[in-house]
Amino acid sequence: MGSVPTLEQLAKEVSRGGARLSARQIDAVLTSSSPHARSFAILLRAADMFRDSHEGAVLEYLRRMRSRFKLLDPVLVANILWLYRRAGKEQEAAGECLDFARDALTQGQRDLALEACGAAMILDGMARFELVRDPRAALDVAGLYEQVAQAVSAGTAGQAGGADSKPANSPCGLDYKRQKPPDMPFVVNAVRRVATCESGVETASGRPPTVAAGQAPVPVAMITGNLVDDVVAYSKRVLQFARHLDPARYRLRVYSSENLAVRETPLFPFGIESPGSEVRAPKLMAELRGRGVSTVLLSRHLRFSEAAVHLSRRLEEDGIQIAFFQASLACPIDWLVARLARIPVKIAIHTGCSLFNRGLDATLFDNPANIAREADFWPADAGERITLAKGTDIADLRRGPPLARAELGIPASATVIGVLSNHLQERLSPPYVEVIGNVLRRNASAWFVAYGDVPPEKTTYFNTIGVASRVVWAGCQTRVGAALRMLDIYANEFPVGGSQSVIEAMACGVPVIAMRWSDAHAESAGANSVGKPFAIPGPDIEAYEKLLESWVRTPGARQAAAARLQRRAERRYSIERYVARAMAHAERLLGNAAR
């Protein structure tokens, strides 16, 4: 989709003598049967209001009119989302996307609905996680996906000439024509190319026979929304399986739906903007290739339902017996594959959001808070719920020397507090930054290091209180263990905090302070990993700051905590333990499927 004009731009065009309609003309257009004409008139009216009125009134007008006429025009909804985001109301924008998705499904625009649902979950993650934390809301999203799955099973989606493939032109001049998918729907990180899959839907009941007893290796799939180098937990898990699965018993293949990469021809005006895995994960893919693990990247030209059909077929053609899905409700392609692929065993690895998917045999939960929160809502046919603490490669984390403090301009005598995240922009919340600033201000030997993308606006507070010279933005890290072992204390973010980096810091012998802000996954997973007595039951910012400062001032206390947490990591969070137990569950389920 091309650049979408905002109301601000439209208002300027109108002021320069562009198209303008009177109130009477607008009313006349609204009575017409053309959705595009209605959208055009509404946008012109909104542009006039934007110039003269409060933005809240403009937003309410656009919302009311879109809902009244069930309009699906991308420019109209793009401006609704633009206004929500200008007002810092991403959570409300998520709800608007779901309303839009329901209207799109009603009108037969299934792929448009899927993209809108994905956008809703992305916005939810940028806001307060209200959709993820409320099982009823998450079930509602899963229900929308189930409607599409039923349509795909009936053979009514993904065919040439379907509802989503009809070209249409926007009244504002944007061309929303769908480009023809390429002949090759897969890119493969292996010598052998993949045969062309024809577009269409052919699903049948039942599942293929399982591998005979004693036959090896068992074909195992790891399916993700994308692949990324650096510190993304689900990409790390792909490598961990590649490194620790016994090749004599299992043949691993990695499949990326590319759901978490920018689409070549998106239908909905908001979504993932990151490039594809071939750009973001060259090191990871190179290691997989070196280990003989084929990596399949789905084409980003495909519509979501088509992509799901292609990937489901590919898994079946490859004879996959056990499939692990690392996805959330922000990945409708992966959700549909988990529902539709005819594979003996399908297991979701919980990444913060339950799928509520009837096609799954089990879900592996690393945070028991999710099971407790969803206990009264879990569908009977959505598979087993299994608690399995996540793992990390402890030996790899401890390999090599720690990052030299001198490289970052930090004195050897400093007490270094740090955090490592690929979500610094969202997770360095004002109360968290204030706590860090307070501790630095009262303790001249304390420094703060943040590993990850630099969010410039986060430096303002530190400048204001005069401690910015002891704050280091160290950028993304590829040698995570070396970076963590340079720290004296790991201060997990709040309300939303990390979880994989928490257990990695523990494994590196760094004491971790984490707070359970709520029972939402992203606000409790870190504290759950740390456990008592060092996890702060919250929300209790004062207790968090008090413990952090006590560790800064008392080296013996923090060293004792580090030793205790390191033993906990060795006992509970080794990747060897995780992979072995995950495969034990998978083998059990495979045996059940064979009977």
Side-chain angles (χ1 to χ4, degrees), residues 346-383:
K346 292 179 283 187
I347 301 172
I349 297 176
H350 196 273
T351 60
C353 175
S354 295
L355 298 180
F356 297 102
N357 189 313
R358 292 166 54 197
L360 291 169
D361 297 286
T363 298
L364 304 180
F365 290 85
D366 65 274
N367 185 0
N370 294 302
I371 294 179
R373 188 180 64 255
E374 298 166 354
D376 295 334
F377 301 90
W378 192 258
D381 54 359

Side-chain angles (χ1 to χ4, degrees), residues 228 317 333 359 428-429 477 505 522 589:
V228 186
E317 291 168 0
I333 296 174
L428 295 188
S429 65
Q477 301 294 310
L589 292 167

Side-chain angles (χ1 to χ4, degrees), residues 50-129:
F50 182 83
R51 193 179 51 196
D52 303 328
S53 304
H54 189 275
E55 290 186 14
V58 181
L59 175 58
E60 181 55 33
Y61 169 75
L62 287 177
R63 287 186 62 252
R64 187 175 70 252
M65 300 307 284
R66 197 214 67 78
S67 178
R68 173 183 171 188
F69 294 108
K70 308 300 181 186
L71 296 171
L72 303 181
D73 186 271
V75 179
L76 183 61
V77 73
N79 275 283
I80 292 174
L81 299 182
W82 177 70
L83 288 169
Y84 268 130
R85 298 190 68 196
R86 276 170 67 95
K89 296 182 176 180
E90 281 80 5
Q91 194 66 65
E92 290 80 357
E96 186 71 29
C97 289
L98 289 183
D99 288 341
F100 181 98
R102 295 184 190 96
D103 291 340
L105 270 180
T106 300
Q107 297 177 43
Q109 301 281 347
R110 288 181 284 272
D111 285 297
L112 179 59
L114 291 175
E115 290 192 27
C117 286
M121 300 310 299
I122 295 167
L123 288 162
D124 185 61
M126 296 168 63
R128 300 185 299 274
F129 295 95

Side-chain angles (χ1 to χ4, degrees), residues 445-457:
S445 66
W447 284 62
F448 176 66
V449 176
Y451 297 114
D453 289 332
V454 178
E457 68 275 14

